[in-house]
Amino acid sequence: KNAVSVSDDVKIKTYSGTSLIEISNRVMEPYGNAYKNMKNYADALNRLKAEMPDTKAYCLMAPTAIEFYAPSKYNTGVSKSQYEGMCYIYEQLKDITPVNAYAEMAAHTDEYLYFRSDHHHWTTLGAYYAYRTFAKVAGFTPVDKNTLQTGKLSPFLGLFYKDTKSTALSNDPDYVEYFIPPVNTTAT
């Protein structure tokens, strides 16, 4: 592994060929808009929808933490704008309803939406906000999270901690909050 210190609080490190950006107590992976891959993804969705013409289909692209928590200079050059990539995919869709959760996520970035030590994963709160956007687009009322019983599992250190062994991450570990719906359920 090698590390390039960009400033006192920003480090770009490479682990097993993957560059990671460490800012304070968060590690993120750069994002690059590979339009050929995005076009292939949209084409695959369109082919799947064509096979099921009577099925309502939705596409919700998930922005990752770097889109919201890295200084803008890391969203050009080192990392590209995910919003632009998401819009490009949504424009390619045929008879598939896009669910643009970006604005909802952006409105809540002061909350715990993404794990600081894990790649691309929303916390359950981040997933809830995306679900709320989906509910609005799909035409149903989302469950109010304040009506749900909650709990917390901690500490949690994700894949980026495993890669970096960052003391900033281990000194401020993630946690997993969970929500229990007010219905009887079973799962296998």
Side-chain angles (χ1 to χ4, degrees):
K1 70 186 150 181
N2 58 17
V4 176
S5 183
V6 177
S7 71
D8 291 340
D9 64 339
V10 177
K11 297 179 184 105
I12 299 175
K13 300 178 181 180
T14 302
Y15 298 88
S16 303
T18 301
S19 291
L20 299 177
I21 298 172
E22 184 175 341
I23 301 174
S24 186
N25 66 342
R26 182 181 301 277
V27 176
M28 299 168 283
E29 190 170 32
Y31 175 81
N33 284 340
Y35 284 92
K36 180 181 177 191
N37 292 343
M38 289 188 283
K39 176 80 167 101
N40 289 342
Y41 176 75
D43 289 348
L45 291 179
N46 288 330
R47 284 192 306 275
L48 181 62
K49 174 60 177 142
E51 292 292 322
M52 302 180 295
D54 298 327
T55 302
K56 182 71 177 159
Y58 300 89
C59 175
L60 188 156
M61 301 302 299
T64 63
I66 198 165
E67 184 74 1
F68 301 116
Y69 298 111
S72 62
K73 68 181 178 180
Y74 296 104
N75 285 326
T76 58
V78 175
S79 185
K80 304 293 185 198
S81 169
Q82 291 177 29
Y83 181 75
E84 290 174 15
M86 291 163 48
C87 290
Y88 175 80
I89 289 171
Y90 292 153
E91 290 167 1
Q92 307 301 310
L93 300 177
K94 297 176 182 131
D95 199 25
I96 299 171
T97 303
V99 179
N100 192 342
Y102 191 95
E104 181 77 5
M105 302 300 284
H108 295 278
T109 56
D110 60 335
E111 299 175 47
Y112 187 53
L113 302 182
Y114 294 91
F115 293 110
R116 294 180 311 276
S117 67
D118 206 32
H119 66 293
H120 307 303
H121 292 146
W122 289 334
T123 63
T124 49
L125 182 59
Y128 174 80
Y129 287 128
Y131 152 76
R132 198 161 75 175
T133 303
F134 172 72
K136 183 177 181 181
V137 171
F140 66 89
T141 303
V143 173
D144 181 342
K145 71 177 176 66
N146 296 320
T147 66
L148 304 175
Q149 179 183 346
T150 65
K152 187 187 287 189
L153 303 171
S154 63
F156 169 70
L157 292 169
L159 180 65
F160 287 162
Y161 173 75
K162 181 181 173 188
D163 289 344
T164 65
K165 301 294 188 225
S166 167
T167 56
L169 295 178
S170 63
N171 289 339
D172 188 14
D174 284 307
Y175 60 88
V176 178
E177 182 179 24
Y178 59 87
F179 301 99
I180 300 173
V183 295
N184 292 326
T185 61
T186 59
T188 304

